[in-house]
Amino acid sequence: GAGVSQSPSNKVTEKGKDVELRCDPISGHTALYWYRQSLGQGLEFLIYFQGNSAPDKSGLPSDRFSAERTGGSVSTLTIQRTQQEDSAVYLCASSPPGTRLNEQFFGPGTRLTVL
Amino acid sequence: GDSVTQMEGPVTLSEEAFLTINCTYTATGYPSLFWYVQYPGEGLQLLLKATKADDKGSNKGFEATYRKETTSFHLEKGSVQVSDSAVYFCALLATDSWGKLQFGAGTQVVVTP
């Protein structure tokens, strides 16, 4: 079946612009996660959704970052007034209902470059 | 806070050699431990996991044992292949966490024919 998909695969933007990154989880997966992978910080957790609610937003680095999930499916990560330090690969993952130990299935990521 | 430390790479070895990647963690309680792998051009995927002390996770010839006394979860494979070339990430899930994986820095492994 289809895996987690993310769009766009690459995004180049200018400092100060807003960007939206999209994640389509695997059908039927109730949990959805955002991470980012950067050279300086490695793989960092950003936010976790269960259905449409976000019980854990502890990884969002600033109030410029926000995310939403609608219909228990698609999620959008929005970064406002982008800064160069936001350049990274943004990864989305989803997992099926059940225990918190279920495997997280990762998408291919969106590479964001802020000039 | 909780953290994961793994050996730095790159690790370069010949086909059929023995591979060990060290991973140690700091956490309260009883975290669950994972190894994820990222093959070139592909997304992260789960390799194996262990959810309690002395558990051994295994998959594709790889093994790792959850050692609480040494707070370690070292990854091993007895005979690597060129196709095992990838970046390997050790990760933990804290006792009270729902899905917030905390990753180590990753170790690149390069296997030459």
Side-chain angles (χ1 to χ4, degrees):
Chain A
V4 176
S5 60
Q6 294 186 243
S7 60
S9 54
N10 278 286
K11 177 71 178 179
V12 180
T13 190
E14 293 179 347
K15 178 181 171 182
K17 301 285 191 185
D18 298 351
V19 295
E20 286 189 351
L21 311 179
R22 177 187 169 105
C23 172
D24 281 89
I26 294 171
S27 178
H29 282 196
T30 52
L32 185 146
Y33 317 84
W34 284 98
Y35 296 85
R36 72 175 177 182
Q37 187 173 22
S38 58
L39 281 176
Q41 303 297 322
L43 258 164
E44 306 171 277
F45 167 84
L46 297 178
I47 187 169
Y48 152 62
F49 285 92
Q50 185 64 247
N52 292 335
S53 61
D56 191 347
K57 308 179 185 180
S58 61
L60 294 178
S62 75
D63 58 8
R64 296 186 295 104
F65 287 72
S66 63
E68 64 174 13
R69 189 179 185 196
T70 54
S73 182
V74 172
S75 176
T76 302
L77 177 68
T78 301
I79 309 173
Q80 295 179 309
R81 305 181 302 282
T82 52
Q83 303 295 311
Q84 288 183 331
E85 62 263 27
D86 299 335
S87 295
V89 177
Y90 289 81
L91 298 173
C92 177
S94 68
S95 62
T99 81
R100 64 190 189 91
L101 302 175
N102 283 341
E103 177 180 354
Q104 295 185 23
F105 292 82
F106 283 79
T110 293
R111 181 175 298 277
L112 174 67
T113 303
V114 182
L115 301 176
Chain B
D2 298 345
S3 66
V4 176
T5 303
Q6 61 182 105
M7 61 190 287
E8 291 188 22
V11 174
T12 303
L13 56 168
S14 300
E15 206 164 23
E16 299 183 1
F18 185 88
L19 171 68
T20 299
I21 304 176
N22 290 339
C23 171
T24 57
Y25 68 89
T26 302
T28 55
Y30 298 88
S32 296
L33 301 171
F34 304 80
W35 277 100
Y36 275 79
V37 59
Q38 190 170 32
Y39 297 104
E42 299 185 17
L44 272 169
Q45 53 189 274
L46 179 66
L47 181 59
L48 52 83
K49 69 180 180 185
T51 59
K52 61 183 187 294
D54 300 325
D55 265 3
K56 178 185 283 187
S58 61
N59 187 24
K60 299 183 180 180
F62 290 88
E63 292 183 340
T65 301
Y66 186 159
R67 302 284 187 202
K68 188 152 180 69
E69 64 274 16
T70 53
T71 61
S72 65
F73 193 53
H74 304 322
L75 183 68
E76 297 182 334
K77 186 173 185 183
S79 177
V80 293
Q81 304 299 312
V82 172
S83 57
D84 294 323
S85 298
V87 181
Y88 293 81
F89 293 89
C90 185
L92 73 79
L93 183 65
T95 309
D96 57 353
S97 173
W98 259 90
K100 177 182 176 179
L101 286 171
Q102 295 178 250
F103 288 89
T107 301
Q108 183 177 13
V109 172
V110 178
V111 181
T112 58

